[in-house]
Amino acid sequence: MKRSIKDIEVSGKNVLLRLDFNVPMNYETGEIYDNTRILESLATINYLCDSGAKVIICSHLGRPKGKVDKKFSLAPVADKLAMLVKNKVTFATDTVGSDAKQKISQMENGDIVVLENLRFDSGEEENSPAFAKKLASLADIYVNDAFGTAHRKHASTYGVAKLLPNAVGFLISKELKIIGQILSNPNRPLVAVLGGAKISDKIPVIENLLDKADYILIGGGMAYTFVKAKGGKVGKSLVDEEKISLCKKFLDLSKDKRAEIVLPIDNICNIDFDSTNKPRRFLSNQIDDNYMGLDIGPKTIKLFKKYIKNAGTIIWNGPMGVFENSVYARGTNKIAKYVAKAKGFSFIGGGDSASAVVKSGYGKKVNHLSTGGGASLSLLEGKTLPGIEIISDEGTELVFKNETTKSSKKAHTKKTSFTKKEGTKSLTTNKKQTSKKTAPKKKVSQKVKAKKES
Ligand code: AMP
C-alpha cells in the first residue's frame, strides 16, 4: 500500500498536486467537451483545501512537444475548476517561472494555484533532473493523483517524487484498490473482453490474464491474427503476421492454463473501410478473399453476451469493431450495454471502450470506468507504474526538507519503527504533534474570471 494523503498533515504546507487535466478540448476555442477528469480530481483537491494546504496543481494538456503553444494552455481548465470548487483559484502563466513563484507566494491556506501546461517545458517528458528540481522547489509535499499518466516516467510524475515527501491521492488509491482486487481475488468467473486493432499492445495483457481470468473473449481487429493462427481464412482483415506464432502459442497454452480463449464466430465485413457497399456477414474463419472483418457479427454478439451475463467480474478493453463508423459500431455498442447491465463487477479500462460506454448512455451503470487507458493496461499486464512505484509505502517515515519533525498523521500516534527514510534529515523523536488545521478561505479569484456554475 502506498502512502495516502490521509496519512500526511498538510495544513499550511505547499502541496504540489499532479493531476491528469488532459481533458478533451477544442484547442482553438478552449471549449472543454468532457470535464470528467476534473470532476474525478475534486475529492483530492477538496480534501487538501479543507485540510488547510496551499494546493499547487500541475498537469499536461495535449502535445505541445516541449514548446510554449498557447492553444494548449491550461487556462480554460483553471476557469472550469474555479466553477467547481469553493476555494480561490488562480492561474499561473508559467510553470516554474516568476509568475508561478509570485502567485504561490501570495497563497493562503486552502487556496489553489493552477500552473501552466507542464509540457511547455521539454524537461517534463525528458524527466530532466533540473526541471524536477524546479518543480520541487515550489512545494513541501508532492501528491500524485494523475492515474492516467502514472505509467510515464516524467519529471512531474517521477523525478519530483524523489525530491519531496510524497503520497498518492484518492483517485490513484481507488484505481489501485480495484485493479488489485480484480487481479488477486476477483468474483469468478473473471471474463476479460479484449478488442482494438493493436495486438502488440494486448499481447502482454493476454499473457498475464491466461493465469488469472477464466475466459478471454477476443474481438476487434486483433481477433483475425488469432483466427488465422487457427488456420482460418480471414480475407483482407487486419493481421499482424509477426504475431501469428505467438497467438498459436497462446491458443495452445489456453488448454492448460486457467483461461479459455474465445474467438468470434462471425463478422460483419466489407471490401474496405470506406466502402459504401452493403456490408456482408461471413463466418470468422471463412471470410472472402476480397473482404475484411470490420465488426463482430450477431452470432458472436450473442456468444459474448452469454459469457458477460454469467461473469462475476468483467474487464473490458478495446472496441469490437471500427466503431467510429456507425455501420460497424453495433458490436461495440451491444457489448457496452451487456457489460453495463451485467450483474458481475464491471471494469472498463479507459480509452475507446470507456467512450463507447459513455456514448451509449450506460456510463453510470458500469462499476468502474478507469481514468487511465495506458496505465490500467500496464497494471493488467502485471507491470508496476513508475509514477506510483516511486511513492513511499504506507508507514514510511516522512521528513520535510527543512524540518526535523515529521508530519505523518500515523507517525503522530504510533511508535512505529520505520524501515525506509526519505528527505534530508532523519527523525530522532516521536512526540505527538499538535498541528492546527487552518480553515480554508472561501473566496473566488479575481484572476480567474469564471462565474460559478449553478
Ligand atoms: P487500439 O488502439 O488497439 O485499442 O485500437 C482501437 C482501434 O481499433 C479503433 O480505432 C478501431 O477502429 C480499430 N478497430 C477495431 N476493430 C477493427 C477491425 N476489425 N479492423 C480494423 N480496425 C479495427
Side-chain angles (χ1 to χ4, degrees), residues 323-337:
F323 77 117
E324 296 90 341
N325 180 341
S326 61
V327 179
Y328 309 113
R330 186 166 183 267
T332 303
N333 291 340
K334 287 280 184 191
I335 295 302
K337 179 172 149 188

Side-chain angles (χ1 to χ4, degrees), residues 76-265:
V77 182
D79 283 350
K80 191 74 190 173
L81 179 65
M83 298 179 204
L84 296 167
V85 294
K86 60 186 187 306
N87 306 71
K88 178 182 170 187
V89 178
T90 306
F91 179 68
T93 55
D94 55 26
T95 312
V96 290
S98 55
D99 195 52
K101 283 180 191 153
Q102 194 228 337
K103 282 172 180 157
I104 290 169
S105 71
Q106 291 167 353
M107 289 174 91
E108 293 183 33
N109 294 356
D111 285 353
I112 298 168
V113 163
V114 178
L115 303 179
E116 184 52 288
N117 194 339
L118 288 159
R119 290 192 186 167
F120 283 179
D121 195 307
S122 60
E124 164 63 356
E125 288 178 90
E126 289 162 5
N127 187 24
S128 127
F131 188 57
K133 207 169 156 192
K134 284 183 194 166
L135 281 171
S137 73
L138 305 176
D140 306 301
I141 297 170
Y142 168 75
V143 173
N144 190 357
D145 212 19
F147 182 69
T149 40
H151 57 309
R152 308 259 182 235
K153 211 169 177 176
H154 293 168
S156 71
T157 59
Y158 190 83
V160 69
K162 292 205 274 190
L163 305 174
L164 289 174
N166 53 47
V168 291
F170 295 131
L171 191 59
I172 285 191
S173 293
K174 185 167 117 189
E175 296 271 8
L176 291 181
K177 194 171 157 205
I178 289 174
I179 300 178
Q181 165 83 17
I182 287 176
L183 293 179
S184 62
N185 188 22
N187 286 334
R188 293 200 177 270
L190 170 58
V191 175
V193 187
L194 301 177
K198 279 178 249 119
I199 192 163
S200 48
D201 282 3
K202 309 279 161 54
I203 288 275
V205 180
I206 298 172
E207 200 159 13
N208 193 36
L209 292 181
L210 273 174
D211 281 324
K212 296 191 164 64
D214 296 288
Y215 300 99
I216 303 176
L217 318 183
I218 299 184
M222 61 187 262
Y224 305 101
T225 309
F226 279 91
V227 174
K228 193 160 180 191
K230 269 183 96 173
K233 264 178 77 226
V234 297
K236 293 196 295 183
S237 305
L238 194 70
V239 168
D240 188 337
E241 296 288 342
E242 283 177 14
K243 296 288 180 305
I244 291 179
S245 58
L246 197 57
C247 290
K248 253 188 210 145
K249 189 178 133 196
F250 285 166
L251 290 165
D252 287 341
L253 271 177
S254 104
K255 289 172 196 145
D256 303 324
K257 297 264 185 176
R258 174 167 203 132
E260 184 187 324
I261 294 179
V262 181
L263 298 178
I265 46 180

